[in-house]
Amino acid sequence: MHKQILGGRFRFESTSQALLHLVESAYGGLPPHQLPMAGPEFRIELRLLPRQAPPGDADPPPVQVQSGAGLLCGVMDASNYVVLSPGQRRGLVVASEDMLSRPYHLRYELIEFAVFTLAARGMGLIPLHGACVGKRGRGVLLLGASGSGKSTLALHSLLQGVDFLAEDAVFVQPESLLAAGVANYLHVQADALRFVDDGEVRRWIGQAPIIRRRSGVEKFEADLRQGHGRLAAAPLELIGAVFVSSQSAEDPDVLLSPIPEHEIAARLCADQPYAATQPGWHRFGQRLMQAGVHQLRRGRHPRDSVDALRQLLG
């Protein structure tokens, strides 16, 4: 199976149709983003092992990361792990049959770990935990702590005609500030539906499967490829970043405020501790500082926050 993901060409190989089906559910039907440089080819082998544990409700162990000898490994247990060779642009994902009943963990913590790590290291991209929306090829990076409202803001941006790039992970070329992402699923909590007036959209989200994060938070996993809004057809050039705040604005008509330049570097490092250790981070921070970084407080309704983003996008 071949997929164009984050500007790279991925070849997935497996004798298990169940594992290839998970790949298709994650990466099928996405806009084929391309970056200015020629995307390299990555190869990922997926291997299914016999069932190792009886059925149960307990979550699998969290992934532990190890590295050495040019390899990077993410290990749940002896039957569920990822081995990557970034230098060779190759990876091996091993999963036991019991993990097929936990597709969320298998997709995100094993398959996505392999795809995202190889893409970031193979193409020199900065991996960020955040969302990104935009229009006419220009994008705004949405940052902030878990629970700050990034996903709700991304949802309402989508519903109001803003192009949707990514909700959970964004990958940026540090020199050009071109951002790519995977717009497959949107994860929102049930209380976000109280701001959605459209009955069809409420059904789309409310009938979606529910996933449980490692933190215990439960969210709907709504498939963005079902036609409710526009997915960004190409990478977006970042014209700035916004730290989304869970605090309400003192003046509901003034939601955006610039972050002082001398505070930006520290705020970015604190918000993105993993990305801050990656090559290219310093240049990325410089370019983003030049573009501008703001704080966005909550208004009366999420659509007010979308209007503020539209002002930035011009």
Side-chain angles (χ1 to χ4, degrees), residues 144-164:
S146 296
S148 61
K150 297 187 300 294
S151 297
T152 300
L153 179 54
L155 166 63
H156 284 272
S157 297
L158 176 79
L159 298 181
Q160 294 186 52
V162 179
D163 292 348
F164 189 105

Side-chain angles (χ1 to χ4, degrees), residues 1-312:
M1 182 178 290
H2 297 263
K3 297 294 180 186
Q4 181 85 9
I5 309 170
L6 301 174
R9 292 171 290 116
F10 280 81
R11 176 176 175 176
F12 297 91
E13 302 170 342
S14 182
T15 59
S16 167
Q17 288 300 314
L19 291 178
L20 290 176
H21 175 74
L22 277 175
V23 171
E24 181 64 27
S25 70
Y27 305 115
L30 294 174
H33 287 181
Q34 295 184 355
L35 295 168
M37 62 181 182
E41 181 173 272
F42 303 93
R43 296 180 65 178
I44 296 178
E45 179 185 345
L46 303 110
R47 189 176 301 169
L48 190 66
L49 299 184
R51 182 177 297 276
Q52 299 296 312
D57 295 330
D59 288 341
V63 171
Q64 302 293 321
V65 179
Q66 302 286 339
S67 63
L71 301 176
L72 181 64
C73 305
V75 182
M76 280 184 177
D77 56 34
S79 301
N80 296 279
Y81 55 87
V82 179
V83 181
L84 304 176
S85 174
Q88 296 181 332
R89 299 171 180 163
R90 301 191 67 170
L92 170 68
V93 176
V94 177
S96 55
E97 287 183 332
D98 41 297
M99 281 296 291
L100 294 176
S101 64
R102 302 179 177 91
Y104 170 75
H105 293 288
L106 179 48
R107 280 202 326 263
Y108 282 89
E109 298 184 7
L110 295 178
I111 297 175
E112 186 173 274
F113 175 84
V115 170
F116 283 3
T117 302
L118 288 176
R121 300 202 174 197
M123 295 185 287
L125 305 177
I126 302 295
L128 300 165
H129 174 60
C132 185
V133 297
K135 63 179 183 178
R136 296 193 296 273
R138 293 153 56 87
V140 174
L141 183 63
L142 307 180
L143 305 174
S146 296
S148 61
K150 297 187 300 294
S151 297
T152 300
L153 179 54
L155 166 63
H156 284 272
S157 297
L158 176 79
L159 298 181
Q160 294 186 52
V162 179
D163 292 348
F164 189 105
L165 182 82
E167 175 251 344
D168 192 53
V170 182
F171 295 80
V172 181
Q173 276 189 335
E175 194 62 42
S176 66
L177 284 191
L178 280 175
V182 176
N184 48 10
Y185 298 102
L186 174 70
H187 300 93
V188 292
Q189 296 187 56
D191 64 355
L193 293 181
R194 72 183 189 273
F195 296 111
V196 178
D197 300 324
D198 189 312
E200 184 178 348
V201 172
R202 290 176 64 90
R203 285 191 294 274
W204 163 53
I205 298 175
Q207 293 174 0
I210 295 176
I211 58 93
R212 186 173 66 238
R213 300 282 200 190
R214 289 286 185 180
S215 63
V217 174
E218 293 187 341
K219 295 189 173 187
F220 291 110
E221 186 177 62
D223 194 330
L224 289 161
R225 295 159 290 185
Q226 294 183 4
H228 296 278
R230 292 201 305 262
L231 305 184
L236 299 177
E237 182 179 356
L238 295 179
I239 53 88
V242 165
F243 279 93
V244 181
S245 172
S246 59
Q247 297 179 348
S248 298
E250 295 179 2
D251 182 349
D253 295 322
V254 182
L255 306 186
L256 274 176
S257 58
I259 294 177
E261 189 170 320
H262 67 276
E263 296 180 10
I264 293 176
R267 287 283 297 270
L268 288 173
C269 288
D271 189 71
Q272 303 289 328
Y274 175 73
T277 66
Q278 301 304 299
W281 171 261
H282 180 67
R283 182 55 178 158
F284 165 75
Q286 286 181 323
R287 296 281 286 111
L288 198 60
M289 193 179 304
Q290 293 168 359
V293 180
H294 291 74
Q295 179 168 268
L296 177 65
R297 296 184 185 273
R298 291 189 179 182
R300 305 179 191 89
H301 191 282
R303 71 170 68 95
D304 299 330
S305 298
V306 178
D307 290 340
L309 293 182
R310 289 180 186 275
Q311 294 175 22
L312 282 182

